[in-house]
Amino acid sequence: MYAVIVSGGKQYKVSEGDVIRVEKLPVEEGAQVTFDQVLVLNDGTMKIGTPVVDGAKVSGTVTKNGKSKKVVVYRYKRKSGYHKKNGHRQLFTEVKIDSIG
């Protein structure tokens, strides 16, 4: 059994027991979170939503909030002495999928 959910403008294929990293959610660690936007639900028969499957929900538990590794952005133009170094760390929420229904 698996489902395709939407969170933070991205799509994730999840099964029960999976741990996924989604964009930062305003939820504390250990709290329950429910994803209502289920695009596809496969429980032996494929149910495809238009755009979402009616009555389908995926619930999980937040295991961690944090920042991912730093991405270095370096801009450089030769012969002109221009260079600029920037860094970015994206915030994320780690969710363990408990049930699909």
PDB file of all heavy atoms in Angstrom, residues 5-44:
ATOM      1  N   ILE A   5       1.522  12.038  -1.812  1.00  0.00           N
ATOM      2  CA  ILE A   5       0.999  13.201  -1.098  1.00  0.00           C
ATOM      3  C   ILE A   5       1.698  14.460  -1.566  1.00  0.00           C
ATOM      4  O   ILE A   5       2.759  14.396  -2.186  1.00  0.00           O
ATOM      5  CB  ILE A   5       1.164  13.041   0.429  1.00  0.00           C
ATOM      6  CG1 ILE A   5       2.641  12.923   0.812  1.00  0.00           C
ATOM      7  CG2 ILE A   5       0.380  11.859   0.943  1.00  0.00           C
ATOM      8  CD1 ILE A   5       2.894  12.982   2.295  1.00  0.00           C
ATOM      9  N   VAL A   6       1.098  15.600  -1.238  1.00  0.00           N
ATOM     10  CA  VAL A   6       1.678  16.904  -1.564  1.00  0.00           C
ATOM     11  C   VAL A   6       1.957  17.636  -0.261  1.00  0.00           C
ATOM     12  O   VAL A   6       1.095  17.711   0.611  1.00  0.00           O
ATOM     13  CB  VAL A   6       0.715  17.745  -2.426  1.00  0.00           C
ATOM     14  CG1 VAL A   6       1.272  19.136  -2.658  1.00  0.00           C
ATOM     15  CG2 VAL A   6       0.441  17.069  -3.741  1.00  0.00           C
ATOM     16  N   SER A   7       3.186  18.150  -0.117  1.00  0.00           N
ATOM     17  CA  SER A   7       3.540  18.978   1.033  1.00  0.00           C
ATOM     18  C   SER A   7       4.599  19.970   0.597  1.00  0.00           C
ATOM     19  O   SER A   7       5.624  19.581   0.043  1.00  0.00           O
ATOM     20  CB  SER A   7       4.067  18.115   2.176  1.00  0.00           C
ATOM     21  OG  SER A   7       4.454  18.928   3.254  1.00  0.00           O
ATOM     22  N   GLY A   8       4.353  21.240   0.837  1.00  0.00           N
ATOM     23  CA  GLY A   8       5.322  22.272   0.486  1.00  0.00           C
ATOM     24  C   GLY A   8       5.537  22.409  -1.004  1.00  0.00           C
ATOM     25  O   GLY A   8       6.623  22.785  -1.438  1.00  0.00           O
ATOM     26  N   GLY A   9       4.522  22.085  -1.809  1.00  0.00           N
ATOM     27  CA  GLY A   9       4.641  22.203  -3.250  1.00  0.00           C
ATOM     28  C   GLY A   9       5.390  21.063  -3.908  1.00  0.00           C
ATOM     29  O   GLY A   9       5.662  21.105  -5.104  1.00  0.00           O
ATOM     30  N   LYS A  10       5.729  20.023  -3.139  1.00  0.00           N
ATOM     31  CA  LYS A  10       6.447  18.869  -3.680  1.00  0.00           C
ATOM     32  C   LYS A  10       5.610  17.615  -3.457  1.00  0.00           C
ATOM     33  O   LYS A  10       4.806  17.554  -2.540  1.00  0.00           O
ATOM     34  CB  LYS A  10       7.807  18.724  -3.007  1.00  0.00           C
ATOM     35  CG  LYS A  10       8.716  19.910  -3.251  1.00  0.00           C
ATOM     36  CD  LYS A  10      10.055  19.677  -2.595  1.00  0.00           C
ATOM     37  CE  LYS A  10      10.993  20.809  -2.868  1.00  0.00           C
ATOM     38  NZ  LYS A  10      10.724  21.988  -2.079  1.00  0.00           N
ATOM     39  N   GLN A  11       5.831  16.610  -4.297  1.00  0.00           N
ATOM     40  CA  GLN A  11       5.099  15.352  -4.195  1.00  0.00           C
ATOM     41  C   GLN A  11       6.010  14.268  -3.641  1.00  0.00           C
ATOM     42  O   GLN A  11       7.183  14.189  -4.001  1.00  0.00           O
ATOM     43  CB  GLN A  11       4.572  14.935  -5.572  1.00  0.00           C
ATOM     44  CG  GLN A  11       3.606  15.932  -6.160  1.00  0.00           C
ATOM     45  CD  GLN A  11       3.135  15.535  -7.548  1.00  0.00           C
ATOM     46  OE1 GLN A  11       3.474  14.466  -8.045  1.00  0.00           O
ATOM     47  NE2 GLN A  11       2.364  16.397  -8.173  1.00  0.00           N
ATOM     48  N   TYR A  12       5.446  13.433  -2.756  1.00  0.00           N
ATOM     49  CA  TYR A  12       6.208  12.366  -2.110  1.00  0.00           C
ATOM     50  C   TYR A  12       5.426  11.061  -2.213  1.00  0.00           C
ATOM     51  O   TYR A  12       4.226  11.028  -1.916  1.00  0.00           O
ATOM     52  CB  TYR A  12       6.447  12.679  -0.626  1.00  0.00           C
ATOM     53  CG  TYR A  12       7.183  13.972  -0.378  1.00  0.00           C
ATOM     54  CD1 TYR A  12       6.497  15.156  -0.182  1.00  0.00           C
ATOM     55  CD2 TYR A  12       8.567  14.004  -0.350  1.00  0.00           C
ATOM     56  CE1 TYR A  12       7.168  16.337   0.041  1.00  0.00           C
ATOM     57  CE2 TYR A  12       9.253  15.181  -0.127  1.00  0.00           C
ATOM     58  CZ  TYR A  12       8.537  16.347   0.068  1.00  0.00           C
ATOM     59  OH  TYR A  12       9.213  17.521   0.287  1.00  0.00           O
ATOM     60  N   LYS A  13       6.098   9.981  -2.605  1.00  0.00           N
ATOM     61  CA  LYS A  13       5.504   8.649  -2.600  1.00  0.00           C
ATOM     62  C   LYS A  13       5.845   8.023  -1.258  1.00  0.00           C
ATOM     63  O   LYS A  13       7.022   7.858  -0.929  1.00  0.00           O
ATOM     64  CB  LYS A  13       6.062   7.801  -3.740  1.00  0.00           C
ATOM     65  CG  LYS A  13       5.475   6.410  -3.778  1.00  0.00           C
ATOM     66  CD  LYS A  13       6.095   5.588  -4.879  1.00  0.00           C
ATOM     67  CE  LYS A  13       5.599   4.153  -4.787  1.00  0.00           C
ATOM     68  NZ  LYS A  13       6.290   3.291  -5.736  1.00  0.00           N
ATOM     69  N   VAL A  14       4.816   7.670  -0.461  1.00  0.00           N
ATOM     70  CA  VAL A  14       5.037   7.189   0.894  1.00  0.00           C
ATOM     71  C   VAL A  14       4.327   5.858   1.120  1.00  0.00           C
ATOM     72  O   VAL A  14       3.311   5.573   0.503  1.00  0.00           O
ATOM     73  CB  VAL A  14       4.554   8.210   1.951  1.00  0.00           C
ATOM     74  CG1 VAL A  14       5.349   9.486   1.867  1.00  0.00           C
ATOM     75  CG2 VAL A  14       3.082   8.496   1.811  1.00  0.00           C
ATOM     76  N   SER A  15       4.910   5.058   2.011  1.00  0.00           N
ATOM     77  CA  SER A  15       4.305   3.828   2.511  1.00  0.00           C
ATOM     78  C   SER A  15       4.342   3.903   4.033  1.00  0.00           C
ATOM     79  O   SER A  15       5.022   4.746   4.604  1.00  0.00           O
ATOM     80  CB  SER A  15       5.086   2.607   2.033  1.00  0.00           C
ATOM     81  OG  SER A  15       5.084   2.535   0.627  1.00  0.00           O
ATOM     82  N   GLU A  16       3.631   2.995   4.690  1.00  0.00           N
ATOM     83  CA  GLU A  16       3.640   2.969   6.148  1.00  0.00           C
ATOM     84  C   GLU A  16       5.044   2.620   6.636  1.00  0.00           C
ATOM     85  O   GLU A  16       5.679   1.708   6.125  1.00  0.00           O
ATOM     86  CB  GLU A  16       2.626   1.984   6.682  1.00  0.00           C
ATOM     87  CG  GLU A  16       1.201   2.439   6.474  1.00  0.00           C
ATOM     88  CD  GLU A  16       0.190   1.499   7.093  1.00  0.00           C
ATOM     89  OE1 GLU A  16       0.580   0.642   7.899  1.00  0.00           O
ATOM     90  OE2 GLU A  16      -0.989   1.626   6.752  1.00  0.00           O
ATOM     91  N   GLY A  17       5.534   3.369   7.620  1.00  0.00           N
ATOM     92  CA  GLY A  17       6.861   3.138   8.168  1.00  0.00           C
ATOM     93  C   GLY A  17       7.960   3.962   7.519  1.00  0.00           C
ATOM     94  O   GLY A  17       9.091   3.980   8.018  1.00  0.00           O
ATOM     95  N   ASP A  18       7.674   4.634   6.421  1.00  0.00           N
ATOM     96  CA  ASP A  18       8.678   5.468   5.756  1.00  0.00           C
ATOM     97  C   ASP A  18       8.977   6.722   6.584  1.00  0.00           C
ATOM     98  O   ASP A  18       8.124   7.229   7.302  1.00  0.00           O
ATOM     99  CB  ASP A  18       8.194   5.922   4.374  1.00  0.00           C
ATOM    100  CG  ASP A  18       8.245   4.817   3.345  1.00  0.00           C
ATOM    101  OD1 ASP A  18       8.773   3.740   3.668  1.00  0.00           O
ATOM    102  OD2 ASP A  18       7.758   5.043   2.223  1.00  0.00           O
ATOM    103  N   VAL A  19      10.200   7.234   6.439  1.00  0.00           N
ATOM    104  CA  VAL A  19      10.587   8.497   7.043  1.00  0.00           C
ATOM    105  C   VAL A  19      10.929   9.440   5.903  1.00  0.00           C
ATOM    106  O   VAL A  19      11.799   9.141   5.083  1.00  0.00           O
ATOM    107  CB  VAL A  19      11.797   8.321   7.984  1.00  0.00           C
ATOM    108  CG1 VAL A  19      12.235   9.657   8.536  1.00  0.00           C
ATOM    109  CG2 VAL A  19      11.463   7.358   9.108  1.00  0.00           C
ATOM    110  N   ILE A  20      10.223  10.571   5.839  1.00  0.00           N
ATOM    111  CA  ILE A  20      10.432  11.522   4.746  1.00  0.00           C
ATOM    112  C   ILE A  20      10.818  12.881   5.319  1.00  0.00           C
ATOM    113  O   ILE A  20      10.491  13.206   6.456  1.00  0.00           O
ATOM    114  CB  ILE A  20       9.176  11.671   3.858  1.00  0.00           C
ATOM    115  CG1 ILE A  20       7.975  12.146   4.669  1.00  0.00           C
ATOM    116  CG2 ILE A  20       8.867  10.380   3.149  1.00  0.00           C
ATOM    117  CD1 ILE A  20       6.779  12.511   3.832  1.00  0.00           C
ATOM    118  N   ARG A  21      11.544  13.659   4.512  1.00  0.00           N
ATOM    119  CA  ARG A  21      11.895  15.028   4.866  1.00  0.00           C
ATOM    120  C   ARG A  21      11.088  15.959   3.984  1.00  0.00           C
ATOM    121  O   ARG A  21      11.239  15.959   2.761  1.00  0.00           O
ATOM    122  CB  ARG A  21      13.378  15.287   4.637  1.00  0.00           C
ATOM    123  CG  ARG A  21      14.248  14.775   5.735  1.00  0.00           C
ATOM    124  CD  ARG A  21      15.666  15.253   5.546  1.00  0.00           C
ATOM    125  NE  ARG A  21      16.448  14.926   6.731  1.00  0.00           N
ATOM    126  CZ  ARG A  21      17.685  15.309   6.924  1.00  0.00           C
ATOM    127  NH1 ARG A  21      18.291  16.041   6.003  1.00  0.00           N
ATOM    128  NH2 ARG A  21      18.326  14.981   8.014  1.00  0.00           N
ATOM    129  N   VAL A  22      10.235  16.765   4.619  1.00  0.00           N
ATOM    130  CA  VAL A  22       9.410  17.721   3.895  1.00  0.00           C
ATOM    131  C   VAL A  22       9.858  19.126   4.265  1.00  0.00           C
ATOM    132  O   VAL A  22      10.643  19.318   5.194  1.00  0.00           O
ATOM    133  CB  VAL A  22       7.906  17.533   4.221  1.00  0.00           C
ATOM    134  CG1 VAL A  22       7.431  16.167   3.771  1.00  0.00           C
ATOM    135  CG2 VAL A  22       7.628  17.725   5.694  1.00  0.00           C
ATOM    136  N   GLU A  23       9.352  20.106   3.535  1.00  0.00           N
ATOM    137  CA  GLU A  23       9.643  21.493   3.867  1.00  0.00           C
ATOM    138  C   GLU A  23       9.145  21.782   5.277  1.00  0.00           C
ATOM    139  O   GLU A  23       8.216  21.152   5.765  1.00  0.00           O
ATOM    140  CB  GLU A  23       8.955  22.432   2.870  1.00  0.00           C
ATOM    141  CG  GLU A  23       9.434  22.291   1.441  1.00  0.00           C
ATOM    142  CD  GLU A  23      10.856  22.759   1.241  1.00  0.00           C
ATOM    143  OE1 GLU A  23      11.253  23.770   1.842  1.00  0.00           O
ATOM    144  OE2 GLU A  23      11.579  22.097   0.484  1.00  0.00           O
ATOM    145  N   LYS A  24       9.753  22.765   5.931  1.00  0.00           N
ATOM    146  CA  LYS A  24       9.468  23.085   7.333  1.00  0.00           C
ATOM    147  C   LYS A  24       7.974  23.242   7.593  1.00  0.00           C
ATOM    148  O   LYS A  24       7.288  24.000   6.919  1.00  0.00           O
ATOM    149  CB  LYS A  24      10.202  24.375   7.690  1.00  0.00           C
ATOM    150  CG  LYS A  24       9.939  24.889   9.063  1.00  0.00           C
ATOM    151  CD  LYS A  24      10.732  24.139  10.082  1.00  0.00           C
ATOM    152  CE  LYS A  24      10.640  24.832  11.424  1.00  0.00           C
ATOM    153  NZ  LYS A  24      10.374  23.958  12.500  1.00  0.00           N
ATOM    154  N   LEU A  25       7.465  22.494   8.590  1.00  0.00           N
ATOM    155  CA  LEU A  25       6.082  22.590   9.033  1.00  0.00           C
ATOM    156  C   LEU A  25       6.052  23.230  10.421  1.00  0.00           C
ATOM    157  O   LEU A  25       6.940  22.981  11.236  1.00  0.00           O
ATOM    158  CB  LEU A  25       5.439  21.203   9.106  1.00  0.00           C
ATOM    159  CG  LEU A  25       5.336  20.419   7.797  1.00  0.00           C
ATOM    160  CD1 LEU A  25       4.826  19.015   8.072  1.00  0.00           C
ATOM    161  CD2 LEU A  25       4.444  21.124   6.818  1.00  0.00           C
ATOM    162  N   PRO A  26       5.037  24.040  10.725  1.00  0.00           N
ATOM    163  CA  PRO A  26       4.965  24.691  12.044  1.00  0.00           C
ATOM    164  C   PRO A  26       4.417  23.743  13.111  1.00  0.00           C
ATOM    165  O   PRO A  26       3.378  23.992  13.717  1.00  0.00           O
ATOM    166  CB  PRO A  26       4.021  25.866  11.787  1.00  0.00           C
ATOM    167  CG  PRO A  26       3.134  25.380  10.697  1.00  0.00           C
ATOM    168  CD  PRO A  26       3.993  24.502   9.822  1.00  0.00           C
ATOM    169  N   VAL A  27       5.128  22.622  13.348  1.00  0.00           N
ATOM    170  CA  VAL A  27       4.690  21.589  14.279  1.00  0.00           C
ATOM    171  C   VAL A  27       5.881  21.194  15.153  1.00  0.00           C
ATOM    172  O   VAL A  27       7.011  21.106  14.671  1.00  0.00           O
ATOM    173  CB  VAL A  27       4.168  20.350  13.504  1.00  0.00           C
ATOM    174  CG1 VAL A  27       3.674  19.287  14.448  1.00  0.00           C
ATOM    175  CG2 VAL A  27       3.062  20.740  12.537  1.00  0.00           C
ATOM    176  N   GLU A  28       5.618  20.943  16.434  1.00  0.00           N
ATOM    177  CA  GLU A  28       6.666  20.533  17.367  1.00  0.00           C
ATOM    178  C   GLU A  28       7.038  19.065  17.154  1.00  0.00           C
ATOM    179  O   GLU A  28       6.260  18.293  16.595  1.00  0.00           O
ATOM    180  CB  GLU A  28       6.183  20.718  18.807  1.00  0.00           C
ATOM    181  CG  GLU A  28       5.904  22.162  19.181  1.00  0.00           C
ATOM    182  CD  GLU A  28       7.147  23.021  19.208  1.00  0.00           C
ATOM    183  OE1 GLU A  28       8.199  22.528  19.653  1.00  0.00           O
ATOM    184  OE2 GLU A  28       7.068  24.184  18.764  1.00  0.00           O
ATOM    185  N   GLU A  29       8.214  18.680  17.644  1.00  0.00           N
ATOM    186  CA  GLU A  29       8.645  17.283  17.568  1.00  0.00           C
ATOM    187  C   GLU A  29       7.737  16.419  18.441  1.00  0.00           C
ATOM    188  O   GLU A  29       7.345  16.812  19.523  1.00  0.00           O
ATOM    189  CB  GLU A  29      10.091  17.152  18.028  1.00  0.00           C
ATOM    190  CG  GLU A  29      11.086  17.765  17.069  1.00  0.00           C
ATOM    191  CD  GLU A  29      12.521  17.567  17.519  1.00  0.00           C
ATOM    192  OE1 GLU A  29      12.780  16.670  18.334  1.00  0.00           O
ATOM    193  OE2 GLU A  29      13.380  18.322  17.040  1.00  0.00           O
ATOM    194  N   GLY A  30       7.407  15.241  17.938  1.00  0.00           N
ATOM    195  CA  GLY A  30       6.537  14.316  18.665  1.00  0.00           C
ATOM    196  C   GLY A  30       5.056  14.519  18.393  1.00  0.00           C
ATOM    197  O   GLY A  30       4.234  13.711  18.817  1.00  0.00           O
ATOM    198  N   ALA A  31       4.686  15.578  17.688  1.00  0.00           N
ATOM    199  CA  ALA A  31       3.283  15.860  17.399  1.00  0.00           C
ATOM    200  C   ALA A  31       2.823  15.074  16.171  1.00  0.00           C
ATOM    201  O   ALA A  31       3.626  14.633  15.351  1.00  0.00           O
ATOM    202  CB  ALA A  31       3.081  17.353  17.172  1.00  0.00           C
ATOM    203  N   GLN A  32       1.519  14.898  16.068  1.00  0.00           N
ATOM    204  CA  GLN A  32       0.926  14.229  14.919  1.00  0.00           C
ATOM    205  C   GLN A  32       0.686  15.252  13.807  1.00  0.00           C
ATOM    206  O   GLN A  32       0.352  16.410  14.081  1.00  0.00           O
ATOM    207  CB  GLN A  32      -0.416  13.587  15.298  1.00  0.00           C
ATOM    208  CG  GLN A  32      -0.296  12.423  16.245  1.00  0.00           C
ATOM    209  CD  GLN A  32       0.289  11.201  15.561  1.00  0.00           C
ATOM    210  OE1 GLN A  32       0.104  10.990  14.373  1.00  0.00           O
ATOM    211  NE2 GLN A  32       1.018  10.404  16.321  1.00  0.00           N
ATOM    212  N   VAL A  33       0.845  14.817  12.582  1.00  0.00           N
ATOM    213  CA  VAL A  33       0.577  15.663  11.421  1.00  0.00           C
ATOM    214  C   VAL A  33      -0.224  14.840  10.418  1.00  0.00           C
ATOM    215  O   VAL A  33      -0.028  13.632  10.276  1.00  0.00           O
ATOM    216  CB  VAL A  33       1.889  16.214  10.803  1.00  0.00           C
ATOM    217  CG1 VAL A  33       2.739  15.117  10.234  1.00  0.00           C
ATOM    218  CG2 VAL A  33       1.614  17.257   9.755  1.00  0.00           C
ATOM    219  N   THR A  34      -1.190  15.489   9.751  1.00  0.00           N
ATOM    220  CA  THR A  34      -2.053  14.814   8.786  1.00  0.00           C
ATOM    221  C   THR A  34      -1.926  15.498   7.433  1.00  0.00           C
ATOM    222  O   THR A  34      -2.013  16.728   7.336  1.00  0.00           O
ATOM    223  CB  THR A  34      -3.520  14.860   9.252  1.00  0.00           C
ATOM    224  OG1 THR A  34      -3.602  14.274  10.543  1.00  0.00           O
ATOM    225  CG2 THR A  34      -4.407  14.086   8.307  1.00  0.00           C
ATOM    226  N   PHE A  35      -1.718  14.702   6.411  1.00  0.00           N
ATOM    227  CA  PHE A  35      -1.656  15.203   5.038  1.00  0.00           C
ATOM    228  C   PHE A  35      -2.982  14.867   4.354  1.00  0.00           C
ATOM    229  O   PHE A  35      -3.316  13.699   4.181  1.00  0.00           O
ATOM    230  CB  PHE A  35      -0.491  14.560   4.277  1.00  0.00           C
ATOM    231  CG  PHE A  35       0.854  14.838   4.898  1.00  0.00           C
ATOM    232  CD1 PHE A  35       1.490  13.876   5.670  1.00  0.00           C
ATOM    233  CD2 PHE A  35       1.489  16.047   4.714  1.00  0.00           C
ATOM    234  CE1 PHE A  35       2.722  14.119   6.246  1.00  0.00           C
ATOM    235  CE2 PHE A  35       2.721  16.306   5.285  1.00  0.00           C
ATOM    236  CZ  PHE A  35       3.339  15.343   6.044  1.00  0.00           C
ATOM    237  N   ASP A  36      -3.742  15.912   3.987  1.00  0.00           N
ATOM    238  CA  ASP A  36      -5.053  15.714   3.366  1.00  0.00           C
ATOM    239  C   ASP A  36      -4.985  15.680   1.850  1.00  0.00           C
ATOM    240  O   ASP A  36      -5.889  15.159   1.207  1.00  0.00           O
ATOM    241  CB  ASP A  36      -6.014  16.824   3.800  1.00  0.00           C
ATOM    242  CG  ASP A  36      -6.315  16.766   5.289  1.00  0.00           C
ATOM    243  OD1 ASP A  36      -6.280  15.654   5.853  1.00  0.00           O
ATOM    244  OD2 ASP A  36      -6.577  17.826   5.871  1.00  0.00           O
ATOM    245  N   GLN A  37      -3.938  16.240   1.285  1.00  0.00           N
ATOM    246  CA  GLN A  37      -3.807  16.274  -0.172  1.00  0.00           C
ATOM    247  C   GLN A  37      -3.151  14.983  -0.648  1.00  0.00           C
ATOM    248  O   GLN A  37      -1.938  14.884  -0.779  1.00  0.00           O
ATOM    249  CB  GLN A  37      -2.994  17.477  -0.616  1.00  0.00           C
ATOM    250  CG  GLN A  37      -3.706  18.789  -0.405  1.00  0.00           C
ATOM    251  CD  GLN A  37      -2.919  19.937  -0.986  1.00  0.00           C
ATOM    252  OE1 GLN A  37      -1.698  19.923  -0.992  1.00  0.00           O
ATOM    253  NE2 GLN A  37      -3.627  20.934  -1.478  1.00  0.00           N
ATOM    254  N   VAL A  38      -3.971  13.980  -0.919  1.00  0.00           N
ATOM    255  CA  VAL A  38      -3.500  12.685  -1.411  1.00  0.00           C
ATOM    256  C   VAL A  38      -3.876  12.601  -2.886  1.00  0.00           C
ATOM    257  O   VAL A  38      -5.054  12.617  -3.236  1.00  0.00           O
ATOM    258  CB  VAL A  38      -4.137  11.520  -0.617  1.00  0.00           C
ATOM    259  CG1 VAL A  38      -3.657  10.194  -1.155  1.00  0.00           C
ATOM    260  CG2 VAL A  38      -3.808  11.647   0.861  1.00  0.00           C
ATOM    261  N   LEU A  39      -2.869  12.529  -3.751  1.00  0.00           N
ATOM    262  CA  LEU A  39      -3.112  12.508  -5.190  1.00  0.00           C
ATOM    263  C   LEU A  39      -3.418  11.105  -5.693  1.00  0.00           C
ATOM    264  O   LEU A  39      -4.259  10.920  -6.570  1.00  0.00           O
ATOM    265  CB  LEU A  39      -1.899  13.067  -5.943  1.00  0.00           C
ATOM    266  CG  LEU A  39      -1.483  14.491  -5.577  1.00  0.00           C
ATOM    267  CD1 LEU A  39      -0.252  14.880  -6.368  1.00  0.00           C
ATOM    268  CD2 LEU A  39      -2.599  15.456  -5.815  1.00  0.00           C
ATOM    269  N   VAL A  40      -2.709  10.091  -5.157  1.00  0.00           N
ATOM    270  CA  VAL A  40      -2.865   8.694  -5.582  1.00  0.00           C
ATOM    271  C   VAL A  40      -2.892   7.830  -4.337  1.00  0.00           C
ATOM    272  O   VAL A  40      -2.120   8.038  -3.415  1.00  0.00           O
ATOM    273  CB  VAL A  40      -1.704   8.261  -6.507  1.00  0.00           C
ATOM    274  CG1 VAL A  40      -1.791   6.786  -6.845  1.00  0.00           C
ATOM    275  CG2 VAL A  40      -1.673   9.089  -7.764  1.00  0.00           C
ATOM    276  N   LEU A  41      -3.796   6.845  -4.343  1.00  0.00           N
ATOM    277  CA  LEU A  41      -3.871   5.885  -3.242  1.00  0.00           C
ATOM    278  C   LEU A  41      -3.945   4.499  -3.855  1.00  0.00           C
ATOM    279  O   LEU A  41      -4.824   4.215  -4.665  1.00  0.00           O
ATOM    280  CB  LEU A  41      -5.094   6.153  -2.372  1.00  0.00           C
ATOM    281  CG  LEU A  41      -5.294   5.250  -1.171  1.00  0.00           C
ATOM    282  CD1 LEU A  41      -4.167   5.466  -0.176  1.00  0.00           C
ATOM    283  CD2 LEU A  41      -6.620   5.532  -0.507  1.00  0.00           C
ATOM    284  N   ASN A  42      -2.998   3.638  -3.486  1.00  0.00           N
ATOM    285  CA  ASN A  42      -2.967   2.278  -4.015  1.00  0.00           C
ATOM    286  C   ASN A  42      -3.037   1.307  -2.847  1.00  0.00           C
ATOM    287  O   ASN A  42      -2.099   1.140  -2.101  1.00  0.00           O
ATOM    288  CB  ASN A  42      -1.688   2.039  -4.821  1.00  0.00           C
ATOM    289  CG  ASN A  42      -1.691   0.702  -5.513  1.00  0.00           C
ATOM    290  OD1 ASN A  42      -2.563  -0.128  -5.301  1.00  0.00           O
ATOM    291  ND2 ASN A  42      -0.709   0.488  -6.358  1.00  0.00           N
ATOM    292  N   ASP A  43      -4.203   0.666  -2.700  1.00  0.00           N
ATOM    293  CA  ASP A  43      -4.390  -0.334  -1.658  1.00  0.00           C
ATOM    294  C   ASP A  43      -4.879  -1.631  -2.295  1.00  0.00           C
ATOM    295  O   ASP A  43      -5.844  -2.247  -1.867  1.00  0.00           O
ATOM    296  CB  ASP A  43      -5.367   0.152  -0.588  1.00  0.00           C
ATOM    297  CG  ASP A  43      -6.694   0.611  -1.174  1.00  0.00           C
ATOM    298  OD1 ASP A  43      -6.818   0.627  -2.417  1.00  0.00           O
ATOM    299  OD2 ASP A  43      -7.607   0.949  -0.397  1.00  0.00           O
ATOM    300  N   GLY A  44      -4.197  -2.032  -3.336  1.00  0.00           N
ATOM    301  CA  GLY A  44      -4.620  -3.182  -4.131  1.00  0.00           C
ATOM    302  C   GLY A  44      -5.303  -2.732  -5.414  1.00  0.00           C
ATOM    303  O   GLY A  44      -5.149  -3.342  -6.459  1.00  0.00           O
TER     304      GLY A  44
END
